[in-house]
Amino acid sequence: MVHLFVFCCIVLPFLAGAVVRILRRNDLRRILVPITVAAMAAAAIGLGVAGPFRLEVRHLAGIPADAVLTLLETALPLCILLIGWRAGSRLVMGLTALQLAGIAHLHRTGPEIAPPAAIAADGLSLLMTIIVCVVGGLITIYAMGYMDVHESRHRPPVSRKPRFFATVLCFLGAMNGLVLFDDLRWVFLFWEATTLCSYLLIAHDDTPEARSNALCALWMNVLGGLAFVSAMLFLRQSLGTLSAEEVLRRVCAMDVRTTATLLPFAFLCLAAFTKSAQVPFESWLCGAMVAPTPVSALLHSATMVKAGTYLLLRMAPAFAGTTMSTIVALFGAFTFVGACLLAVGQQDAKRLLAYSTIANLGLIIACVGINTTASATAATVIIVYHSVSKGLLFACVGSIEQRIGSRDIEDMRGLRAVMPRTATIAAIGILTMLLPPFGMLTGKWLAIEAIARATQAMPPILGFVALGSALTVLFWTRWAGAFIRSPELRERPSPGPQRPTVLFALKALCGLALVFSLLAPVVLERFIVPAVTEAYARYGQVAALPAIPGTGLAWIYGLSAILAAAAWMARKAARNVPDRAHCPPYACGAAVESGKEAGFRGPMDAFVPTRLANCYLRRHFDEAWLTRAMDTISTAFLVVLVGGLL
Amino acid sequence: MTLPIIGTLACLVLAAFTGGLLGGIDRRLTARLQSRQGPPILQPFLDVAKLLGKTPSVTNAWIVPCAILTLASTAVALAILLRGGDLLLILFVLAAGAVFQTAGALCVPSPYSHLGAHRELLLMLVHEPILILVFTGIAMCTGSFSVADVFREQAPLLPRMPLCFLALGYALTIRLRKSPFDFAASPHAHQELVRGLLTEYAGPYLALLEIAHWLETVLLLGVCALLWHTSLLGMAMLALGSFLAEILLDNATARLTWQWMVRRMSPLAVMGLALVNLLWLYVA
Amino acid sequence: MDIFRNLLHHGRMKSPWFLHFDCGSCNGCDIETLACLTPRYDVERFGAVNIGNPKHADVLLVTGTVNPRNRLVLRQIFDQMPSPKAVVAVGACSLSGGVFRGAYNVVGGVHEVIPVDVSVPGCPPRPEAIIDGLLEAMAAMAAKIGRGPAPGPTLMPWDPDPGREEPASARPPDSRAAPDGNGKAPEERGTAPAPAPDASPPVAEDSGRDPDARPPDGHDQAGPGSAGTAAG
């Protein structure tokens, strides 16, 4: 059974993607894609229910797995090299050439033991698989409706939808492979596969801006891939194995961790930082916002960027208790507060979401750097719930942009009258990022509890996280208020036509965000806590701290009940407000209400509409200056991280 | 199960009365400091009774759920404190209440309400990190964020966190809407922003927010009192002392701008106070 | 339920939040009104607060004379105040137009635009008179919602004995509109306005009809206000 599930998760999407790409038929795609993602989701949930497992992969359709690996891990960088050559980017070509050299060297040193490739899934992997398949699946269904409208507006000469969906399906398969495999060579293969998919999807619209942003993403991710290859070379040389489990076991068994031992992990950190768009590499993620929104939702918030944090989380016990770990934590916290500062000055909704994603990834990395059971629990919770909420928010913004033609928050004023369902779902999405008892808040709570017990460099990390947390409230509330702003007592919504797939995906994601938050105690108990405690215990770290604080998580149920009751009461009270209670907003006695617009009686008795805009504080949070400052400081961090070891 | 719930509800009602009484004492003391006589001490209750009896006047129906949810959040936060729950949770639930209140103010296209809401967001930006740091200081002294664990400590916390207490006073000034940081919703600033954040809340909904403000006052003074939990007299003195100090500060200072607050008496300077204290606790 | 209603009413009476609106006066009445907030007169001991927002106010304290530009503003501010509410017209200008009565750009007294419950004559009236007017407005508000008798017109020393049958219209305008309140005894009272239709019949509290919802020009004039209307 497990074999079947794993096949569905990893191999099936590649096959389906190939079919979709080769047979470029619309009706076939409309059936095949939903069936594939449904199968993947069912398989992932099946795996999750089955629990942690171990699988050895010796043959792939008759061919020895090692040969497949060698073939693919040479072919993939060659593909990227070709892309770099076609685009004339020497940076990409140079980095990929170095990668190929590294891989060749890896081959040459020879697989002296050549253990079979293993799929070792613990709670963390299973949870990531579920997120990738379920959230990714829903976003793919959303993309079906979205891309129809997208293509009808952009009108490419030949429909690019087959290519799009093929790439998305391959990406989902690659992500599953990344989180399930134990052998680092396979992980690297899937890592680079996601890089390639990211490039293809960012460049989807084929405009000059899209192409240049895609190249920027490509070279930064390939740089990370190069760091990954270097790490693999070092690990092979010093430890003689490339199985993640083995590596961790051997490193944690050492009493003293020398520079040579820690250096590969520093390189893995570098790889993770580029994949997760930490400063100073955040520009690729912001540039990737030119892609169609399903791409942003899927790759650049819910799944691909989480791959970096997943890798770090996996490798974290190896460098627990070292100075390197502290620097990683400080770096993550600094990214968190810096990205939040950048997000405050954003008016473009997608860029705001991008910066918020970077910030949350920084918070996850800070938790990883603190390297205790409590912080690893917090990091996992944030990974999971952030994926759901952010995917939902990106999907809403995409839908809104297609309807009103703008991503500007100021243009989303009073959106509830124009798009009642989407605006409500978006407001709920924002609230799930912000309020108890929802999952993100649980994660933030666990994070602060973990940081408070950290043994190294706690005050500055806590200071950064506290400030960043307050900044998030600022920009989320500001946006949420814009949706419901209206001078009318009750909006008379005139919902326009909405694609059924888009609506279904939005509602499903919203329901998932709400219900999944309620299930947080169950999720923690079943998946996260066992995996985390085992990871830290198995690898010899003293699990001194309980994974969950003593107060437990029962409050989630209590708060949810109270919130539901209060919300129901509040809704009833709002409905009971009689129409005659309506009065215009106060405008010094000169208010005039003309339909949907509020205004006042101005000079010559003319109607002057009230123009209200959020304050973005650009004089204080100037994007260019902040980005420069942050890039400088973070580069210094990275130099200290790697150079300090050398 | 029901007995604790009834007990908590009764305590909440008592806390609301205490908060109102404190508000009345506040107004009376302020008046005496200004050589006036001032209203009777029960005046806040009369005000709320009057507001409850007004006919509803609503611009956007979303204000109604926001007012109700603000009161619910503040009540829940106080209930968590009374049950000895987690300090961070109290902070987040309180922040949720403030978010609802601000969202309600933002949902009406009124310039005063909008201005007040943004100023309120900036105030939240300043006082939330301070509260997180102060609560972490308490956690460092007692070993956990739970209020119940504070009461298990043998020694009072204040001698170990004096700077944190000063930072807490700063956050208290902001939340109690006292000068010099009352530029979001002060009744005295009406030449500038009418009633700021609270402009469009009217009648019964303003009454709900007033009651929420009472509960919040009691909650924050309770947190102040936690720092000398060993004796009842100590708790009372800390709570009332902080309250009186706030009234004095309110009457001695003029209202400042948010730029002054963010830049000079900025979160960094005050976070500096809290952070220095944390460092000291951390090193010691 | 009755206890609850009585509590609400008690609060209503003891918490007069007033909104001070200047229609366009010389600021004399405004200075006297703001003097009420000072320690010497201290209107806050009655629970009164000078609130700047009509949506929070119970009493509208109007000074100055109404002109065609601000009649709409005055009307809207009055409409934005939630019920129950009361209006106090302070000073001669808001009663009848004062020294400006008859000018081409002056509409006249406040009662031309909104229903006035209490008039405080004077030019300017003393702060004690204004405070007294405020408290009379509470009684008038109670009467409007059916919880008290309508405050009858309070007589000035020069007024004839009401026992004698003398129709209000027969009285010359000047004797009613006594603008000078300066030399009077400190316990002078605010007078109820001569135009009887202003004091609308007490309405039961829950009738649903807003006792203050009246068209501005719906009542007939009698007494000092009429001269201003005819000219304006």
Side-chain angles (χ1 to χ4, degrees), chain A residues 411-600:
Chain A
D411 292 332
M412 295 185 199
R413 272 174 315 156
L415 194 69
R416 214 172 164 273
V418 176
M419 309 176 70
R421 292 164 295 193
T422 313
T424 314
I425 293 177
I428 292 178
I430 293 177
L431 292 180
T432 57
M433 289 288 298
L434 198 52
L435 300 179
F438 297 113
M440 260 310 288
L441 200 300
T442 314
K444 233 194 286 189
W445 175 67
L446 286 169
I448 297 182
E449 293 254 357
I451 294 172
R453 295 197 195 111
T455 48
Q456 296 184 9
M458 188 272 273
I461 298 179
L462 186 68
F464 285 149
V465 171
L467 187 56
S469 168
L471 284 164
T472 60
V473 172
L474 174 60
F475 60 75
W476 288 129
T477 316
R478 198 172 64 185
W479 189 10
F483 283 128
I484 47 178
R485 189 176 306 151
S486 157
E488 298 180 316
L489 184 64
R490 276 174 267 268
E491 312 96 350
R492 263 160 279 280
S494 49
Q498 182 72 287
R499 296 262 154 172
T501 42
V502 167
L503 204 54
F504 165 73
L506 286 177
K507 286 186 184 167
L509 277 169
C510 184
L512 187 67
L514 290 173
V515 170
F516 206 35
S517 299
L518 269 184
L519 290 177
V522 172
V523 167
L524 268 157
E525 195 193 299
R526 232 196 104 100
F527 292 103
I528 303 182
V529 173
V532 162
T533 3
E534 202 212 342
Y536 279 88
R538 191 168 23 145
Y539 300 130
Q541 308 295 328
V542 174
L545 297 168
I548 305 180
T551 39
L553 288 172
W555 54 266
I556 293 183
Y557 298 123
L559 276 186
S560 307
I562 295 176
L563 180 67
W568 178 80
M569 237 176 64
R571 194 155 170 260
K572 218 164 83 108
R575 290 237 166 119
N576 288 344
V577 172
D579 279 339
R580 66 168 186 272
H582 177 66
C583 84
Y586 178 64
C588 302
V592 172
E593 265 185 294
S594 85
K596 294 201 176 152
E597 242 195 323
F600 55 93

Side-chain angles (χ1 to χ4, degrees), chain A residues 209-284:
Chain A
E209 192 193 2
R211 281 198 291 267
S212 76
N213 287 349
L215 264 180
C216 174
L218 190 61
W219 80 252
M220 285 190 180
N221 278 303
V222 169
L223 178 65
L226 182 61
F228 203 128
V229 171
S230 320
M232 284 202 293
L233 283 171
F234 274 112
L235 282 174
R236 170 67 72 85
Q237 190 180 26
S238 63
L239 295 173
T241 171
L242 279 180
S243 153
E245 279 184 351
E246 262 312 301
V247 164
L248 280 172
R249 192 173 307 134
R250 291 190 193 182
V251 172
C252 296
M254 293 182 188
D255 288 326
V256 170
R257 276 167 241 184
T258 61
T259 304
T261 334
L262 287 179
L263 195 60
F265 296 102
F267 281 121
L268 282 177
C269 283
L270 209 60
F273 292 162
T274 53
K275 184 64 89 178
S276 296
Q278 299 294 288
V279 265
F281 307 112
E282 85 283 6
S283 50
W284 80 255

Side-chain angles (χ1 to χ4, degrees), chain B residues 2 5 20 24 42 71 78 86 112 118 146 201 227 233 270 273:
Chain B
T2 50
I5 294 183
L42 296 179
L71 179 59
L78 186 57
D86 192 284
Y112 304 106
H118 279 277
S146 164
Y201 288 97
L227 295 179
L233 180 65
V270 180
L273 271 179

Side-chain angles (χ1 to χ4, degrees), chain B residues 27 34-40 43 46-47 49-50 52-55 57 59 190 194-195 198-202 206, chain C residues 7-8 10-12 14-15 17 37 39 42 44-45 47 49-53 55-58 80 82-84:
Chain B
R27 279 174 75 176
Q34 295 171 357
S35 313
R36 295 186 287 122
Q37 235 195 320
Q43 186 63 37
L46 299 168
D47 289 339
K50 174 209 62 179
L52 285 172
K54 288 266 207 184
T55 52
S57 160
T59 305
H190 68 247
V194 185
R195 193 71 202 271
L198 304 176
T199 307
E200 300 293 332
Y201 288 97
L206 188 63
Chain C
L7 238 107
L8 287 187
H10 183 65
R12 206 174 280 147
K14 296 287 182 184
S15 165
W17 287 3
L37 306 171
D42 193 20
E44 203 186 355
R45 40 192 169 115
V49 175
N50 181 14
I51 211 90
N53 187 3
K55 300 192 181 192
H56 297 172
D58 307 297
Q80 284 195 348
S83 302

Side-chain angles (χ1 to χ4, degrees), chain A residues 32-43:
Chain A
L32 191 59
V33 169
I35 290 182
T36 313
V37 299
M40 286 173 68

Side-chain angles (χ1 to χ4, degrees), chain A residues 309-324:
Chain A
T309 54
Y310 163 80
L311 181 71
L312 268 189
L313 202 49
R314 237 308 147 245
M315 294 293 147
F319 53 86
T322 60
T323 319
M324 182 178 128

